[in-house]
Amino acid sequence: MCGFISIFGPPESDAIQDALNGLLAIQHRGQDAAGAVTFKDRFQAKKGLGLVREVFGEKHLQRLRGHLAVAHVRYPTVGLGEDTDVQPFWLDYPVGTAMAHNGNVTNFHELRRTYFAQRNIHLGSNCDLEVVLYVFADALMRRRADPVTVDDVQTAVKEVYDRVKGAYSVAGITSEGMYAFRDPYGIKPCIFGKKVTPEGTWYAVASESVVLDVAGYEIVRDLKAGEMVWIGKDRVPHIRQVANKPHRPCIFEYVYFARPDTFLDGTSVYEARMELGRRLGRAFLETKLVADVVIPVPESARTAGQTMAEVIGVPCREGFVKNRYVGRTFIMPNDKARQATIRTKLNPIRAEFEGKRVVILDDSIVRGNTSRQMVKIARQMGAAKVYLASYSPPLLFPCLYGIDMSTKREFVARGRTHEEIARELGADHVLYQTLEQMEDAVRTAGNKDLQFCNACFAGTYPTGDITESMIADIERDRLEASKV
Ligand code: AMP
């Protein structure tokens, strides 16, 4: 999972400041690497491994000039997290374009073996964006006349959709304009905004609406599944529908990934999490178990913790204090490092556990590392009972669309009953949200008609083109990456 932004500013403006403010707002989508490319006479870039504030300094604000910018924060899912894989990528020739994406190309290996081998193109990275970039640029190169028009971009996007499988939302710039396109099923988010200043009108596209908030843009709207936008020399946004597939936004964005202050496809992530908490609270009451306190695992479970506790009729307390400087545990290179880091990241407050029947609430349970440790700590702190609750259902299937969920073998819920999971994690009981309740909760918070990509919970991949060999390719990549 990654985050992107592209900016089209008024003629004499510099877009980099908005791009970097925006990147800080979506730092949660990837802390592994950051980069930005602007255009003024030529593409100018700054990319590096690390957090946005580590990669960028004052001098880059001075150097990265121009009213067009594209920027990215990375969370590696394919590739080994090398600096050659840091986005945005760009080509100066034959059609200059710089691009960033969020998602995952599922036929990356196949395209490498076929399309690219036949054209004698040697990809310079392990990043799947590179295949999108080449297919897009190749199609643009075949246009009839200058400058690039909306029809040219539409043709190029169509070519990408036809050849490149998976789920990827893309933002980019050329020497003259800005474009973005959302994947055919709209699995990945992509929102379009605008602001008017004395200098003129600015446009921005981003992975989350919080980018628009912090940089002063108002939301125009989310791009629909399979839709593109192009803003060229006429400075007018041209929106076109390029693919016509059913919209299946990723439900895990609401559960975990997006910031609570983000709106995705018109639905408030905060409201969705509040409702997820309420539903799980009701499910807890049905178990007839009795609790004294709800303790959410910070940060993502906090919102749902409040409402779950309200429904149960007990306080919601900060039983774990998070050291926010440790970084996300998933970003750790391997499982051992991850487990050690969880303990340094979350420290308990004894008074909230001692003698109490506690519900430890998390957004999800993947490998079970976090839950196992939280249960262990709760017992060390003298909890009378430890109930583990997840406001999403058991994760059972790998996400092939860009969320690093681990490989099939690693899911703690795989092949186990709830009793067995509780035993495995050391809890007195484990309570999961059901798939129906989760989906309904998110719908209640916003768009009543939304149907989701729930592949990681249910195993049905909406793109319908996932083969065993794609799964094997992706699993192999991830296993390789975890050995580094
Ligand atoms: P685990 O410890 O492996 O069971 O992972 C569950 C924890 O990781 C939960 O606290 C989640 O908040 C968090 N989490 C879930 N999915 C992801 C993901 N794809 N990337 C990073 N963190 C995640």
Side-chain angles (χ1 to χ4, degrees):
M1 189 57 71
C2 299
F4 62 69
I5 300 162
S6 63
I7 308 276
F8 182 107
E12 294 310 316
S13 66
D14 286 312
I16 188 66
Q17 184 74 65
D18 280 5
L20 294 190
N21 288 344
L23 277 194
L24 285 171
I26 48 167
Q27 182 78 82
H28 62 287
R29 298 185 72 87
Q31 299 95 2
D32 179 63
V37 175
T38 62
F39 188 88
K40 183 165 189 158
D41 305 323
R42 64 187 177 83
F43 289 106
Q44 308 164 69
K46 169 63 188 163
K47 312 201 271 182
L49 296 175
L51 299 173
V52 176
R53 64 164 189 273
E54 291 163 352
V55 173
F56 292 95
E58 186 57 35
K59 65 177 183 203
H60 304 114
L61 280 177
Q62 303 306 325
R63 179 165 74 73
L64 297 174
R65 309 305 299 266
H67 71 289
L68 297 165
V70 56
H72 188 259
V73 283
R74 183 183 74 177
Y75 162 94
T77 39
V78 168
L80 304 180
E82 311 269 352
D83 48 7
T84 45
D85 298 345
V86 182
Q87 301 186 30
F89 282 17
W90 80 97
L91 292 172
D92 293 303
Y93 176 86
V95 179
T97 182
M99 194 182 257
H101 87 327
N102 166 32
N104 191 37
V105 172
T106 47
N107 63 341
F108 177 62
H109 291 277
E110 185 205 320
L111 284 171
R112 240 187 166 161
R113 290 189 289 258
T114 56
Y115 180 88
F116 290 97
Q118 282 152 17
R119 284 165 180 73
N120 212 9
I121 297 174
H122 302 283
L123 299 179
S125 77
N126 286 307
C127 176
D128 52 347
L129 174 68
E130 213 182 343
V131 305
V132 182
L133 178 67
Y134 273 106
V135 173
F136 184 83
D138 191 50
L140 268 193
M141 189 179 70
R142 283 183 265 115
R143 77 189 187 282
R144 297 235 174 80
D146 273 333
V148 173
T149 65
V150 59
D151 291 335
D152 300 328
V153 178
Q154 184 173 355
T155 306
V157 173
K158 170 98 177 47
E159 179 105 6
V160 171
Y161 286 165
D162 287 347
R163 290 194 186 280
V164 185
K165 306 294 172 213
Y168 45 84
S169 283
V170 173
I173 57 172
T174 68
S175 58
E176 299 162 339
M178 174 183 100
Y179 58 86
F181 47 97
R182 192 166 178 183
D183 59 281
Y185 292 83
I187 294 173
K188 298 295 168 190
C190 187
I191 194 157
F192 178 47
K194 173 184 171 181
K195 74 173 169 183
V196 180
T197 68
E199 289 170 281
T201 304
W202 302 66
Y203 296 99
V205 169
S207 298
E208 286 189 34
S209 63
V210 284
V211 168
L212 306 180
D213 295 344
V214 299
Y217 291 72
E218 59 190 66
I219 295 174
V220 175
R221 68 174 173 83
D222 295 82
L223 287 191
K224 292 185 197 146
E227 206 175 46
M228 58 153 270
V229 58
W230 161 250
I231 308 170
K233 283 207 149 156
D234 60 2
R235 314 189 62 80
V236 176
H238 299 273
I239 297 184
R240 295 259 175 101
Q241 189 70 43
V242 186
N244 285 294
K245 304 280 189 196
H247 188 194
R248 295 286 179 267
C250 165
I251 195 149
F252 208 65
E253 288 277 350
Y254 295 94
V255 169
Y256 172 73
F257 239 99
R259 268 173 55 158
D261 45 342
T262 274
F263 281 76
L264 298 168
D265 291 306
T267 299
S268 154
V269 174
Y270 179 73
E271 296 283 339
R273 289 189 189 158
M274 299 252 281
E275 187 59 21
L276 285 161
R278 279 184 209 109
R279 305 268 172 137
L280 198 62
R282 282 179 221 137
F284 184 84
L285 290 177
E286 278 169 26
T287 65
K288 306 285 182 230
L289 294 169
V290 182
D292 300 305
V293 64
V294 171
I295 297 182
V297 179
E299 306 284 337
S300 39
R302 276 207 177 126
T303 312
Q306 305 285 339
T307 45
M308 182 179 187
E310 267 165 36
V311 170
I312 302 178
V314 298
C316 174
R317 288 283 157 77
E318 307 256 346
F320 295 108
V321 176
K322 181 173 172 177
N323 179 344
R324 64 186 70 231
Y325 303 102
V326 176
R328 271 194 176 179
T329 45
F330 256 69
I331 316 293
M332 296 290 143
N334 56 48
D335 218 35
K336 215 166 152 200
R338 247 178 242 125
Q339 290 186 33
T341 312
I342 293 170
R343 188 58 187 86
T344 47
K345 190 163 137 182
L346 293 165
N347 202 39
I349 292 181
R350 179 178 286 273
E352 293 301 349
F353 293 92
E354 209 156 32
K356 296 187 185 168
R357 293 161 293 186
V358 298
V359 176
I360 298 179
L361 174 68
D362 209 346
D363 57 88
S364 58
I365 303 173
V366 188
R367 302 171 182 88
N369 288 337
T370 309
S371 323
R372 201 178 283 112
Q373 291 252 22
M374 296 305 104
V375 172
K376 191 168 142 201
I377 294 171
R379 296 213 187 275
Q380 286 167 349
M381 295 296 114
K385 291 278 179 198
V386 185
Y387 306 126
L388 203 54
S390 161
Y391 67 75
S392 62
L395 281 160
L396 296 171
F397 302 92
C399 173
L400 303 181
Y401 304 131
I403 298 187
D404 177 14
M405 290 281 184
S406 75
T407 60
K408 264 194 261 179
R409 284 172 287 281
E410 291 174 307
F411 291 110
V412 70
R414 192 135 180 138
R416 291 194 173 98
T417 62
H418 287 197
E419 288 72 29
E420 286 165 344
I421 300 169
R423 213 171 308 130
E424 172 66 27
L425 300 177
D428 294 302
H429 185 82
V430 66
L431 175 69
Y432 282 101
Q433 188 96 259
T434 65
L435 190 63
E436 295 69 30
Q437 288 293 328
M438 174 181 68
E439 296 196 343
D440 205 53
V442 179
R443 277 186 212 114
T444 306
N447 184 338
K448 310 284 175 278
D449 301 319
L450 273 186
Q451 299 285 329
F452 303 97
C453 171
N454 57 19
C456 53
F457 301 107
T460 315
Y461 296 91
T463 54
D465 54 5
I466 301 298
T467 61
E468 280 303 317
S469 91
M470 281 177 185
I471 298 180
D473 278 344
I474 289 171
E475 292 210 341
R476 200 189 45 242
D477 280 343
R478 293 195 185 156
L479 280 175
E480 281 292 306
S482 70
K483 281 187 205 137
V484 179

